[in-house]
C-alpha cells in the first residue's frame, strides 16, 4: 500500500465551527453539536514534505556484525555491504 500512497500530497480536514443562532459559550471551548454547526472540508496540504517510496524499504539492512558472523549472508537489496 505504501508504494501507492507515498508520494502524493497530504490531505487534511479543515473543521469550521460556527455558533448556532442564539447560542453562546461560557467557559472553555469543547466539541458540542448543540452549540455549534460544524463543517468538514478535505483539502490538499501543500507541505514541503516530499515522501518517496523506495522498494528497499520493504527490508531493513543486515548489520555488519551479522554478516561477519555468517559470510554466506547477502545484504538486502538497496543497501551497501
Amino acid at each position: 500500500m505504501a508504494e501507492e500512497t507515498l508520494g502524493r500530497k497530504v490531505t487534511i480536514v479543515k473543521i469550521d465551527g460556527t455558533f448556532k443562532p442564539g447560542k453562546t459559550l461560557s467557559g472553555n471551548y469543547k466539541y458540542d453539536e448543540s452549540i455549534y454547526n460544524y463543517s468538514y472540508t478535505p483539502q490538499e496540504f501543500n507541505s514541503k514534505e516530499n515522501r518517496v517510496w523506495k522498494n528497499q524499504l520493504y527490508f531493513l539492512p543486515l548489520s555488519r556484525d551479522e554478516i561477519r558472523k555468517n559470510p554466506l549472508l547477502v545484504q538486502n537489496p538497496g543497501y551497501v555491504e
Side-chain angles (χ1 to χ4, degrees):
M1 180 174 159
E3 193 172 353
E4 298 167 11
T5 59
L6 286 177
R8 61 182 190 187
K9 292 187 178 182
V10 176
T11 301
I12 62 171
V13 177
K14 181 181 176 197
I15 303 170
D16 289 315
T18 56
F19 283 113
K20 290 186 175 185
K23 297 289 184 172
T24 60
L25 179 66
S26 60
N28 295 331
Y29 168 80
K30 65 178 183 177
Y31 178 85
D32 189 343
E33 290 185 344
S34 68
I35 298 174
Y36 297 98
N37 289 319
Y38 292 99
S39 64
Y40 305 89
T41 310
Q43 295 179 338
E44 280 189 353
F45 184 67
N46 188 13
S47 68
K48 295 181 181 180
E49 182 179 351
N50 186 14
R51 299 177 290 173
V52 177
W53 176 255
K54 296 179 182 177
N55 284 334
Q56 80 186 48
L57 297 174
Y58 280 119
F59 305 100
L60 292 173
L62 297 172
S63 72
R64 289 183 180 162
D65 290 338
E66 293 302 317
I67 293 174
R68 281 189 208 119
K69 289 178 190 175
N70 183 350
L72 297 177
L73 284 176
V74 177
Q75 185 58 271
N76 283 325
Y79 298 100
V80 178
E81 287 188 35

